[in-house]
Amino acid sequence: MNWTVPAGFGLFLIGAIVALIQLWLRVLDPETFVKAMITLGVLLALILAWGLVLRERRDAARLKDKSRLD
C-alpha cells in the first residue's frame, strides 16, 4: 500500500480528535484552534496531492513500458 493513504488517514484522525477535544473541553483558544485545523487541512491536501502525483507517474511509466513491448 502506498504510504500516502495511511498518512492522510492519520492526519484525518488527528483532525477529528483535535476537533472533538476542542468541542468538548475547549483546550485551545479559538484563533489557535483555527490555525491548527488549517495547518492539518493543508498537510492533508499536500499528502493527497503527492499521492496522486506518484500514482500518475507510476501509471504513465507502466503505459510507456507496455508500448515498448508492442
Side-chain angles (χ1 to χ4, degrees):
M1 182 188 310
N2 198 352
W3 66 270
T4 57
V5 173
F9 186 66
L11 283 175
F12 175 78
L13 287 179
I14 290 170
I17 290 169
V18 169
L20 287 173
I21 289 172
Q22 180 67 16
L23 177 69
W24 289 100
L25 302 177
R26 297 187 196 260
V27 176
L28 304 170
D29 61 317
E31 183 179 344
T32 306
F33 173 70
V34 169
K35 288 179 181 179
M37 293 308 289
I38 290 172
T39 303
L40 284 173
V42 168
L43 288 174
L44 179 62
L46 287 173
I47 286 177
L48 292 177
W50 184 251
L52 288 173
V53 167
L54 289 177
R55 185 185 318 158
E56 287 297 320
R57 185 183 298 165
R58 183 185 65 230
D59 290 346
R62 186 179 302 147
L63 286 174
K64 193 179 285 188
D65 287 341
K66 283 184 181 178
S67 66
R68 289 182 187 167
L69 293 176
D70 290 338

Short mmCIF file of all heavy atoms in Angstrom, two decimals:
data_model
loop_
_atom_site.label_atom_id
_atom_site.label_comp_id
_atom_site.label_asym_id
_atom_site.label_seq_id
_atom_site.Cartn_x
_atom_site.Cartn_y
_atom_site.Cartn_z
N MET A 1 0.84 -1.18 0.00
CA MET A 1 0.00 0.00 0.00
C MET A 1 0.89 1.25 0.00
O MET A 1 1.95 1.26 0.60
CB MET A 1 -0.90 -0.01 1.23
CG MET A 1 -1.84 1.18 1.26
SD MET A 1 -2.79 1.41 2.76
CE MET A 1 -3.51 -0.14 3.07
N ASN A 2 0.44 2.25 -0.66
CA ASN A 2 1.17 3.49 -0.75
C ASN A 2 1.21 4.18 0.62
O ASN A 2 0.24 4.12 1.38
CB ASN A 2 0.48 4.38 -1.79
CG ASN A 2 1.36 5.48 -2.28
OD1 ASN A 2 2.44 5.68 -1.76
ND2 ASN A 2 0.90 6.19 -3.27
N TRP A 3 2.28 4.86 0.93
CA TRP A 3 2.42 5.50 2.24
C TRP A 3 1.50 6.71 2.39
O TRP A 3 1.21 7.12 3.53
CB TRP A 3 3.86 5.93 2.48
CG TRP A 3 4.33 7.02 1.55
CD1 TRP A 3 4.92 6.84 0.34
CD2 TRP A 3 4.23 8.42 1.76
NE1 TRP A 3 5.18 8.06 -0.22
CE2 TRP A 3 4.78 9.06 0.61
CE3 TRP A 3 3.73 9.21 2.78
CZ2 TRP A 3 4.82 10.43 0.49
CZ3 TRP A 3 3.78 10.58 2.64
CH2 TRP A 3 4.33 11.18 1.51
N THR A 4 1.01 7.27 1.28
CA THR A 4 0.20 8.47 1.39
C THR A 4 -1.19 8.17 1.96
O THR A 4 -1.76 9.03 2.63
CB THR A 4 0.05 9.15 0.02
OG1 THR A 4 -0.50 8.23 -0.91
CG2 THR A 4 1.40 9.63 -0.48
N VAL A 5 -1.72 6.99 1.72
CA VAL A 5 -3.05 6.66 2.23
C VAL A 5 -3.04 6.57 3.76
O VAL A 5 -3.87 7.22 4.42
CB VAL A 5 -3.57 5.36 1.58
CG1 VAL A 5 -4.87 4.92 2.23
CG2 VAL A 5 -3.74 5.56 0.09
N PRO A 6 -2.14 5.82 4.38
CA PRO A 6 -2.12 5.80 5.85
C PRO A 6 -1.78 7.16 6.46
O PRO A 6 -2.33 7.54 7.50
CB PRO A 6 -1.04 4.78 6.21
CG PRO A 6 -0.81 3.98 5.00
CD PRO A 6 -1.20 4.83 3.84
N ALA A 7 -0.88 7.92 5.80
CA ALA A 7 -0.53 9.24 6.33
C ALA A 7 -1.72 10.19 6.25
O ALA A 7 -2.00 10.94 7.20
CB ALA A 7 0.65 9.81 5.55
N GLY A 8 -2.45 10.16 5.14
CA GLY A 8 -3.63 11.00 5.01
C GLY A 8 -4.71 10.62 6.00
O GLY A 8 -5.36 11.48 6.61
N PHE A 9 -4.93 9.32 6.17
CA PHE A 9 -5.92 8.86 7.14
C PHE A 9 -5.51 9.25 8.56
O PHE A 9 -6.36 9.63 9.37
CB PHE A 9 -6.12 7.35 7.02
CG PHE A 9 -7.23 6.83 7.88
CD1 PHE A 9 -8.54 7.18 7.63
CD2 PHE A 9 -6.96 5.98 8.94
CE1 PHE A 9 -9.57 6.70 8.42
CE2 PHE A 9 -7.97 5.49 9.74
CZ PHE A 9 -9.28 5.85 9.48
N GLY A 10 -4.22 9.16 8.86
CA GLY A 10 -3.74 9.56 10.17
C GLY A 10 -3.97 11.05 10.43
O GLY A 10 -4.41 11.43 11.52
N LEU A 11 -3.71 11.88 9.42
CA LEU A 11 -3.97 13.30 9.59
C LEU A 11 -5.45 13.58 9.76
O LEU A 11 -5.85 14.46 10.54
CB LEU A 11 -3.42 14.09 8.40
CG LEU A 11 -1.92 14.32 8.39
CD1 LEU A 11 -1.50 14.99 7.10
CD2 LEU A 11 -1.50 15.16 9.58
N PHE A 12 -6.29 12.85 9.04
CA PHE A 12 -7.73 13.00 9.20
C PHE A 12 -8.16 12.64 10.62
O PHE A 12 -8.96 13.37 11.24
CB PHE A 12 -8.48 12.13 8.19
CG PHE A 12 -9.96 12.14 8.37
CD1 PHE A 12 -10.70 13.22 7.92
CD2 PHE A 12 -10.60 11.09 8.99
CE1 PHE A 12 -12.08 13.25 8.10
CE2 PHE A 12 -11.96 11.10 9.17
CZ PHE A 12 -12.71 12.18 8.72
N LEU A 13 -7.64 11.53 11.14
CA LEU A 13 -7.97 11.14 12.51
C LEU A 13 -7.49 12.16 13.53
O LEU A 13 -8.19 12.46 14.49
CB LEU A 13 -7.38 9.76 12.82
CG LEU A 13 -8.05 8.58 12.16
CD1 LEU A 13 -7.33 7.29 12.54
CD2 LEU A 13 -9.51 8.50 12.54
N ILE A 14 -6.29 12.69 13.33
CA ILE A 14 -5.77 13.71 14.24
C ILE A 14 -6.68 14.94 14.22
O ILE A 14 -7.01 15.50 15.27
CB ILE A 14 -4.33 14.08 13.87
CG1 ILE A 14 -3.39 12.93 14.19
CG2 ILE A 14 -3.88 15.34 14.59
CD1 ILE A 14 -1.99 13.10 13.66
N GLY A 15 -7.10 15.34 13.04
CA GLY A 15 -8.00 16.48 12.93
C GLY A 15 -9.33 16.24 13.63
O GLY A 15 -9.87 17.12 14.30
N ALA A 16 -9.87 15.03 13.46
CA ALA A 16 -11.14 14.70 14.12
C ALA A 16 -10.99 14.69 15.63
O ALA A 16 -11.85 15.21 16.36
CB ALA A 16 -11.64 13.35 13.63
N ILE A 17 -9.89 14.14 16.13
CA ILE A 17 -9.66 14.10 17.57
C ILE A 17 -9.49 15.51 18.13
O ILE A 17 -10.06 15.86 19.17
CB ILE A 17 -8.45 13.20 17.89
CG1 ILE A 17 -8.80 11.75 17.61
CG2 ILE A 17 -7.99 13.38 19.33
CD1 ILE A 17 -7.61 10.81 17.63
N VAL A 18 -8.70 16.33 17.45
CA VAL A 18 -8.50 17.71 17.89
C VAL A 18 -9.82 18.47 17.90
O VAL A 18 -10.12 19.23 18.84
CB VAL A 18 -7.44 18.42 17.01
CG1 VAL A 18 -7.41 19.91 17.28
CG2 VAL A 18 -6.07 17.82 17.24
N ALA A 19 -10.65 18.27 16.88
CA ALA A 19 -11.94 18.95 16.81
C ALA A 19 -12.86 18.53 17.95
O ALA A 19 -13.53 19.37 18.57
CB ALA A 19 -12.60 18.69 15.47
N LEU A 20 -12.89 17.22 18.25
CA LEU A 20 -13.74 16.76 19.34
C LEU A 20 -13.24 17.25 20.70
O LEU A 20 -14.03 17.63 21.56
CB LEU A 20 -13.82 15.23 19.34
CG LEU A 20 -14.67 14.64 18.21
CD1 LEU A 20 -14.54 13.13 18.21
CD2 LEU A 20 -16.12 15.06 18.36
N ILE A 21 -11.93 17.25 20.89
CA ILE A 21 -11.37 17.77 22.15
C ILE A 21 -11.70 19.25 22.30
O ILE A 21 -12.09 19.70 23.39
CB ILE A 21 -9.85 17.52 22.21
CG1 ILE A 21 -9.58 16.03 22.40
CG2 ILE A 21 -9.20 18.32 23.33
CD1 ILE A 21 -8.12 15.65 22.30
N GLN A 22 -11.57 20.00 21.22
CA GLN A 22 -11.89 21.42 21.28
C GLN A 22 -13.38 21.63 21.53
O GLN A 22 -13.77 22.53 22.27
CB GLN A 22 -11.46 22.13 19.99
CG GLN A 22 -11.75 23.59 19.96
CD GLN A 22 -10.94 24.40 20.96
OE1 GLN A 22 -9.94 23.94 21.49
NE2 GLN A 22 -11.39 25.61 21.22
N LEU A 23 -14.21 20.82 20.92
CA LEU A 23 -15.65 20.95 21.08
C LEU A 23 -16.08 20.73 22.53
O LEU A 23 -16.90 21.49 23.06
CB LEU A 23 -16.36 19.95 20.17
CG LEU A 23 -17.88 19.89 20.24
CD1 LEU A 23 -18.45 21.18 19.67
CD2 LEU A 23 -18.40 18.70 19.49
N TRP A 24 -15.52 19.72 23.17
CA TRP A 24 -15.97 19.36 24.50
C TRP A 24 -15.15 19.99 25.62
O TRP A 24 -15.70 20.30 26.68
CB TRP A 24 -15.96 17.85 24.66
CG TRP A 24 -17.05 17.21 23.86
CD1 TRP A 24 -16.91 16.62 22.65
CD2 TRP A 24 -18.43 17.16 24.18
NE1 TRP A 24 -18.13 16.18 22.21
CE2 TRP A 24 -19.08 16.50 23.13
CE3 TRP A 24 -19.18 17.60 25.27
CZ2 TRP A 24 -20.45 16.27 23.14
CZ3 TRP A 24 -20.55 17.37 25.28
CH2 TRP A 24 -21.17 16.72 24.21
N LEU A 25 -13.87 20.19 25.41
CA LEU A 25 -13.02 20.66 26.51
C LEU A 25 -12.51 22.09 26.35
O LEU A 25 -12.01 22.66 27.31
CB LEU A 25 -11.82 19.71 26.68
CG LEU A 25 -12.15 18.25 26.96
CD1 LEU A 25 -10.89 17.43 27.02
CD2 LEU A 25 -12.97 18.11 28.23
N ARG A 26 -12.56 22.62 25.14
CA ARG A 26 -12.08 23.97 24.83
C ARG A 26 -10.66 24.19 25.38
O ARG A 26 -10.39 25.12 26.13
CB ARG A 26 -13.02 25.03 25.37
CG ARG A 26 -14.38 24.96 24.76
CD ARG A 26 -15.23 26.11 25.19
NE ARG A 26 -16.61 25.85 24.90
CZ ARG A 26 -17.25 26.33 23.84
NH1 ARG A 26 -16.61 27.10 23.00
NH2 ARG A 26 -18.50 26.05 23.65
N VAL A 27 -9.76 23.32 24.95
CA VAL A 27 -8.38 23.37 25.40
C VAL A 27 -7.64 24.55 24.79
O VAL A 27 -6.84 25.20 25.45
CB VAL A 27 -7.66 22.04 25.04
CG1 VAL A 27 -6.20 22.09 25.40
CG2 VAL A 27 -8.36 20.88 25.71
N LEU A 28 -7.91 24.84 23.51
CA LEU A 28 -7.22 25.91 22.80
C LEU A 28 -8.11 27.13 22.67
O LEU A 28 -9.34 27.01 22.64
CB LEU A 28 -6.82 25.42 21.39
CG LEU A 28 -5.98 24.15 21.32
CD1 LEU A 28 -5.89 23.68 19.88
CD2 LEU A 28 -4.60 24.42 21.87
N ASP A 29 -7.49 28.30 22.54
CA ASP A 29 -8.29 29.47 22.22
C ASP A 29 -8.72 29.36 20.74
O ASP A 29 -8.08 28.66 19.96
CB ASP A 29 -7.54 30.77 22.50
CG ASP A 29 -6.27 30.92 21.70
OD1 ASP A 29 -5.54 29.92 21.59
OD2 ASP A 29 -6.01 32.03 21.19
N PRO A 30 -9.80 30.02 20.37
CA PRO A 30 -10.35 29.83 19.01
C PRO A 30 -9.36 30.14 17.89
O PRO A 30 -9.33 29.43 16.87
CB PRO A 30 -11.54 30.79 18.97
CG PRO A 30 -11.96 30.94 20.39
CD PRO A 30 -10.68 30.84 21.18
N GLU A 31 -8.53 31.15 18.04
CA GLU A 31 -7.58 31.50 16.98
C GLU A 31 -6.55 30.40 16.78
O GLU A 31 -6.24 30.02 15.63
CB GLU A 31 -6.88 32.82 17.34
CG GLU A 31 -5.94 33.29 16.27
CD GLU A 31 -5.27 34.61 16.64
OE1 GLU A 31 -5.75 35.29 17.55
OE2 GLU A 31 -4.26 34.92 16.00
N THR A 32 -6.04 29.84 17.84
CA THR A 32 -5.07 28.76 17.76
C THR A 32 -5.71 27.50 17.17
O THR A 32 -5.08 26.80 16.36
CB THR A 32 -4.48 28.45 19.14
OG1 THR A 32 -3.96 29.66 19.70
CG2 THR A 32 -3.40 27.41 19.08
N PHE A 33 -6.95 27.23 17.55
CA PHE A 33 -7.65 26.07 17.02
C PHE A 33 -7.83 26.19 15.51
O PHE A 33 -7.59 25.23 14.78
CB PHE A 33 -9.01 25.92 17.70
CG PHE A 33 -9.86 24.85 17.10
CD1 PHE A 33 -9.53 23.51 17.24
CD2 PHE A 33 -10.98 25.18 16.37
CE1 PHE A 33 -10.31 22.52 16.66
CE2 PHE A 33 -11.77 24.21 15.80
CZ PHE A 33 -11.44 22.88 15.95
N VAL A 34 -8.24 27.35 15.04
CA VAL A 34 -8.43 27.55 13.60
C VAL A 34 -7.10 27.39 12.86
O VAL A 34 -7.04 26.75 11.80
CB VAL A 34 -9.07 28.92 13.31
CG1 VAL A 34 -9.04 29.25 11.84
CG2 VAL A 34 -10.50 28.95 13.83
N LYS A 35 -6.03 27.94 13.41
CA LYS A 35 -4.72 27.79 12.79
C LYS A 35 -4.29 26.33 12.73
O LYS A 35 -3.74 25.87 11.72
CB LYS A 35 -3.67 28.61 13.55
CG LYS A 35 -3.81 30.10 13.36
CD LYS A 35 -2.76 30.83 14.17
CE LYS A 35 -2.89 32.33 14.02
NZ LYS A 35 -1.89 33.05 14.82
N ALA A 36 -4.54 25.58 13.80
CA ALA A 36 -4.17 24.16 13.82
C ALA A 36 -4.99 23.38 12.79
O ALA A 36 -4.44 22.53 12.08
CB ALA A 36 -4.39 23.59 15.22
N MET A 37 -6.27 23.66 12.68
CA MET A 37 -7.12 22.94 11.72
C MET A 37 -6.75 23.28 10.28
O MET A 37 -6.74 22.40 9.41
CB MET A 37 -8.60 23.23 11.98
CG MET A 37 -9.08 22.67 13.31
SD MET A 37 -8.74 20.92 13.57
CE MET A 37 -9.87 20.19 12.43
N ILE A 38 -6.43 24.54 10.02
CA ILE A 38 -6.00 24.92 8.68
C ILE A 38 -4.69 24.24 8.33
O ILE A 38 -4.51 23.73 7.21
CB ILE A 38 -5.89 26.45 8.56
CG1 ILE A 38 -7.28 27.08 8.58
CG2 ILE A 38 -5.14 26.86 7.30
CD1 ILE A 38 -7.29 28.58 8.66
N THR A 39 -3.77 24.18 9.29
CA THR A 39 -2.49 23.52 9.06
C THR A 39 -2.69 22.03 8.76
O THR A 39 -2.09 21.49 7.82
CB THR A 39 -1.57 23.69 10.28
OG1 THR A 39 -1.39 25.09 10.53
CG2 THR A 39 -0.22 23.03 10.05
N LEU A 40 -3.55 21.37 9.54
CA LEU A 40 -3.83 19.96 9.28
C LEU A 40 -4.48 19.76 7.92
O LEU A 40 -4.17 18.81 7.20
CB LEU A 40 -4.73 19.39 10.38
CG LEU A 40 -4.07 19.09 11.71
CD1 LEU A 40 -5.11 18.71 12.76
CD2 LEU A 40 -3.05 17.99 11.57
N GLY A 41 -5.38 20.65 7.54
CA GLY A 41 -6.03 20.56 6.24
C GLY A 41 -5.06 20.73 5.09
O GLY A 41 -5.12 20.00 4.09
N VAL A 42 -4.15 21.68 5.23
CA VAL A 42 -3.15 21.90 4.18
C VAL A 42 -2.21 20.70 4.08
O VAL A 42 -1.89 20.25 2.97
CB VAL A 42 -2.36 23.21 4.44
CG1 VAL A 42 -1.15 23.32 3.55
CG2 VAL A 42 -3.27 24.41 4.24
N LEU A 43 -1.78 20.16 5.20
CA LEU A 43 -0.93 18.97 5.17
C LEU A 43 -1.65 17.78 4.54
O LEU A 43 -1.06 17.04 3.75
CB LEU A 43 -0.47 18.61 6.59
CG LEU A 43 0.57 19.53 7.21
CD1 LEU A 43 0.82 19.13 8.66
CD2 LEU A 43 1.86 19.52 6.42
N LEU A 44 -2.92 17.62 4.87
CA LEU A 44 -3.71 16.54 4.27
C LEU A 44 -3.81 16.72 2.76
O LEU A 44 -3.62 15.76 2.00
CB LEU A 44 -5.09 16.49 4.91
CG LEU A 44 -6.05 15.43 4.37
CD1 LEU A 44 -5.50 14.04 4.61
CD2 LEU A 44 -7.41 15.59 5.01
N ALA A 45 -4.07 17.94 2.32
CA ALA A 45 -4.17 18.20 0.87
C ALA A 45 -2.84 17.94 0.18
O ALA A 45 -2.81 17.38 -0.92
CB ALA A 45 -4.63 19.63 0.64
N LEU A 46 -1.73 18.34 0.79
CA LEU A 46 -0.42 18.11 0.20
C LEU A 46 -0.11 16.62 0.08
O LEU A 46 0.41 16.16 -0.95
CB LEU A 46 0.67 18.81 1.01
CG LEU A 46 0.73 20.32 0.89
CD1 LEU A 46 1.75 20.89 1.88
CD2 LEU A 46 1.09 20.72 -0.53
N ILE A 47 -0.42 15.86 1.11
CA ILE A 47 -0.16 14.42 1.07
C ILE A 47 -1.02 13.74 0.01
O ILE A 47 -0.53 12.90 -0.76
CB ILE A 47 -0.37 13.80 2.46
CG1 ILE A 47 0.80 14.18 3.36
CG2 ILE A 47 -0.50 12.28 2.38
CD1 ILE A 47 0.68 13.70 4.77
N LEU A 48 -2.30 14.12 -0.07
CA LEU A 48 -3.16 13.52 -1.08
C LEU A 48 -2.72 13.90 -2.49
O LEU A 48 -2.73 13.07 -3.40
CB LEU A 48 -4.61 13.92 -0.85
CG LEU A 48 -5.25 13.33 0.41
CD1 LEU A 48 -6.67 13.86 0.57
CD2 LEU A 48 -5.23 11.82 0.38
N ALA A 49 -2.32 15.15 -2.67
CA ALA A 49 -1.84 15.58 -3.99
C ALA A 49 -0.56 14.84 -4.36
O ALA A 49 -0.39 14.42 -5.51
CB ALA A 49 -1.60 17.09 -4.00
N TRP A 50 0.34 14.66 -3.41
CA TRP A 50 1.58 13.94 -3.68
C TRP A 50 1.28 12.48 -4.04
O TRP A 50 1.91 11.91 -4.93
CB TRP A 50 2.52 14.02 -2.49
CG TRP A 50 3.83 13.37 -2.79
CD1 TRP A 50 4.31 12.21 -2.28
CD2 TRP A 50 4.84 13.84 -3.70
NE1 TRP A 50 5.54 11.92 -2.80
CE2 TRP A 50 5.89 12.91 -3.67
CE3 TRP A 50 4.93 14.95 -4.52
CZ2 TRP A 50 7.01 13.06 -4.45
CZ3 TRP A 50 6.06 15.09 -5.29
CH2 TRP A 50 7.09 14.15 -5.25
N GLY A 51 0.30 11.89 -3.36
CA GLY A 51 -0.10 10.53 -3.69
C GLY A 51 -0.64 10.43 -5.11
O GLY A 51 -0.35 9.47 -5.82
N LEU A 52 -1.41 11.42 -5.53
CA LEU A 52 -1.92 11.41 -6.90
C LEU A 52 -0.79 11.57 -7.91
O LEU A 52 -0.79 10.91 -8.95
CB LEU A 52 -2.94 12.53 -7.09
CG LEU A 52 -4.28 12.32 -6.40
CD1 LEU A 52 -5.15 13.56 -6.51
CD2 LEU A 52 -5.00 11.11 -6.96
N VAL A 53 0.18 12.42 -7.60
CA VAL A 53 1.33 12.59 -8.49
C VAL A 53 2.11 11.29 -8.61
O VAL A 53 2.49 10.88 -9.72
CB VAL A 53 2.24 13.74 -8.00
CG1 VAL A 53 3.58 13.73 -8.70
CG2 VAL A 53 1.55 15.08 -8.17
N LEU A 54 2.35 10.63 -7.50
CA LEU A 54 3.07 9.36 -7.54
C LEU A 54 2.31 8.31 -8.34
O LEU A 54 2.91 7.56 -9.12
CB LEU A 54 3.33 8.85 -6.12
CG LEU A 54 4.34 9.61 -5.29
CD1 LEU A 54 4.42 9.01 -3.89
CD2 LEU A 54 5.70 9.62 -5.95
N ARG A 55 0.99 8.24 -8.16
CA ARG A 55 0.20 7.27 -8.89
C ARG A 55 0.21 7.56 -10.38
O ARG A 55 0.35 6.64 -11.20
CB ARG A 55 -1.24 7.26 -8.39
CG ARG A 55 -2.06 6.17 -9.06
CD ARG A 55 -3.51 6.17 -8.72
NE ARG A 55 -3.76 6.42 -7.32
CZ ARG A 55 -4.93 6.89 -6.87
NH1 ARG A 55 -5.91 7.15 -7.70
NH2 ARG A 55 -5.11 7.09 -5.59
N GLU A 56 0.08 8.82 -10.75
CA GLU A 56 0.11 9.17 -12.17
C GLU A 56 1.47 8.87 -12.79
O GLU A 56 1.55 8.39 -13.92
CB GLU A 56 -0.23 10.65 -12.36
CG GLU A 56 -1.67 10.98 -12.13
CD GLU A 56 -2.58 10.29 -13.12
OE1 GLU A 56 -2.23 10.21 -14.31
OE2 GLU A 56 -3.65 9.84 -12.70
N ARG A 57 2.54 9.14 -12.06
CA ARG A 57 3.88 8.84 -12.56
C ARG A 57 4.07 7.35 -12.77
O ARG A 57 4.60 6.90 -13.78
CB ARG A 57 4.93 9.37 -11.58
CG ARG A 57 6.35 9.22 -12.08
CD ARG A 57 7.36 9.67 -11.07
NE ARG A 57 7.18 11.09 -10.79
CZ ARG A 57 7.72 11.71 -9.75
NH1 ARG A 57 8.46 11.04 -8.91
NH2 ARG A 57 7.51 12.99 -9.55
N ARG A 58 3.59 6.56 -11.81
CA ARG A 58 3.70 5.10 -11.92
C ARG A 58 2.86 4.57 -13.09
O ARG A 58 3.32 3.72 -13.86
CB ARG A 58 3.26 4.45 -10.61
CG ARG A 58 3.41 2.95 -10.59
CD ARG A 58 2.86 2.33 -9.33
NE ARG A 58 1.41 2.53 -9.29
CZ ARG A 58 0.74 3.02 -8.25
NH1 ARG A 58 1.38 3.38 -7.17
NH2 ARG A 58 -0.57 3.17 -8.30
N ASP A 59 1.64 5.07 -13.23
CA ASP A 59 0.78 4.63 -14.33
C ASP A 59 1.34 5.05 -15.68
O ASP A 59 1.25 4.28 -16.66
CB ASP A 59 -0.64 5.17 -14.16
CG ASP A 59 -1.37 4.52 -13.00
OD1 ASP A 59 -0.90 3.48 -12.50
OD2 ASP A 59 -2.40 5.07 -12.57
N ALA A 60 1.89 6.24 -15.78
CA ALA A 60 2.48 6.69 -17.04
C ALA A 60 3.68 5.83 -17.41
O ALA A 60 3.86 5.47 -18.57
CB ALA A 60 2.90 8.16 -16.94
N ALA A 61 4.49 5.48 -16.42
CA ALA A 61 5.65 4.62 -16.69
C ALA A 61 5.19 3.23 -17.12
O ALA A 61 5.78 2.62 -18.02
CB ALA A 61 6.53 4.51 -15.45
N ARG A 62 4.12 2.73 -16.51
CA ARG A 62 3.60 1.42 -16.89
C ARG A 62 3.07 1.45 -18.32
O ARG A 62 3.30 0.51 -19.08
CB ARG A 62 2.49 1.02 -15.92
CG ARG A 62 2.00 -0.39 -16.14
CD ARG A 62 0.92 -0.79 -15.16
NE ARG A 62 1.40 -0.67 -13.80
CZ ARG A 62 0.64 -0.32 -12.77
NH1 ARG A 62 -0.64 -0.06 -12.95
NH2 ARG A 62 1.14 -0.24 -11.55
N LEU A 63 2.38 2.51 -18.69
CA LEU A 63 1.88 2.61 -20.08
C LEU A 63 3.01 2.74 -21.07
O LEU A 63 2.95 2.18 -22.16
CB LEU A 63 0.93 3.81 -20.19
CG LEU A 63 -0.44 3.65 -19.59
CD1 LEU A 63 -1.20 4.96 -19.64
CD2 LEU A 63 -1.21 2.55 -20.28
N LYS A 64 4.03 3.47 -20.70
CA LYS A 64 5.18 3.63 -21.58
C LYS A 64 5.88 2.29 -21.79
O LYS A 64 6.31 1.98 -22.90
CB LYS A 64 6.16 4.65 -20.99
CG LYS A 64 7.22 5.12 -21.97
CD LYS A 64 8.14 6.14 -21.31
CE LYS A 64 7.41 7.44 -21.20
NZ LYS A 64 8.30 8.53 -20.75
N ASP A 65 6.02 1.50 -20.74
CA ASP A 65 6.66 0.19 -20.87
C ASP A 65 5.83 -0.76 -21.72
O ASP A 65 6.37 -1.56 -22.48
CB ASP A 65 6.88 -0.43 -19.48
CG ASP A 65 8.00 0.25 -18.73
OD1 ASP A 65 8.82 0.93 -19.38
OD2 ASP A 65 8.07 0.12 -17.49
N LYS A 66 4.51 -0.71 -21.63
CA LYS A 66 3.66 -1.58 -22.43
C LYS A 66 3.77 -1.23 -23.91
O LYS A 66 3.71 -2.11 -24.75
CB LYS A 66 2.21 -1.46 -21.98
CG LYS A 66 1.92 -2.21 -20.70
CD LYS A 66 0.45 -2.13 -20.36
CE LYS A 66 0.19 -2.86 -19.05
NZ LYS A 66 -1.23 -2.77 -18.67
N SER A 67 3.93 0.04 -24.22
CA SER A 67 4.03 0.43 -25.63
C SER A 67 5.36 -0.02 -26.24
O SER A 67 5.45 -0.26 -27.44
CB SER A 67 3.85 1.95 -25.78
OG SER A 67 4.93 2.62 -25.15
N ARG A 68 6.38 -0.18 -25.43
CA ARG A 68 7.68 -0.66 -25.95
C ARG A 68 7.64 -2.13 -26.29
O ARG A 68 8.35 -2.59 -27.13
CB ARG A 68 8.77 -0.42 -24.91
CG ARG A 68 9.12 1.04 -24.74
CD ARG A 68 10.23 1.20 -23.75
NE ARG A 68 10.45 2.62 -23.48
CZ ARG A 68 11.17 3.08 -22.50
NH1 ARG A 68 11.78 2.25 -21.67
NH2 ARG A 68 11.31 4.37 -22.32
N LEU A 69 6.79 -2.87 -25.61
CA LEU A 69 6.71 -4.31 -25.88
C LEU A 69 6.01 -4.61 -27.20
O LEU A 69 6.21 -5.67 -27.77
CB LEU A 69 5.97 -5.01 -24.73
CG LEU A 69 6.69 -5.01 -23.39
CD1 LEU A 69 5.81 -5.65 -22.33
CD2 LEU A 69 8.01 -5.73 -23.50
N ASP A 70 5.20 -3.70 -27.69
CA ASP A 70 4.46 -3.94 -28.95
C ASP A 70 5.34 -3.91 -30.10
O ASP A 70 6.19 -4.07 -30.64
CB ASP A 70 3.39 -2.88 -29.14
CG ASP A 70 2.27 -3.07 -28.14
OD1 ASP A 70 2.10 -4.18 -27.61
OD2 ASP A 70 1.56 -2.09 -27.91
#
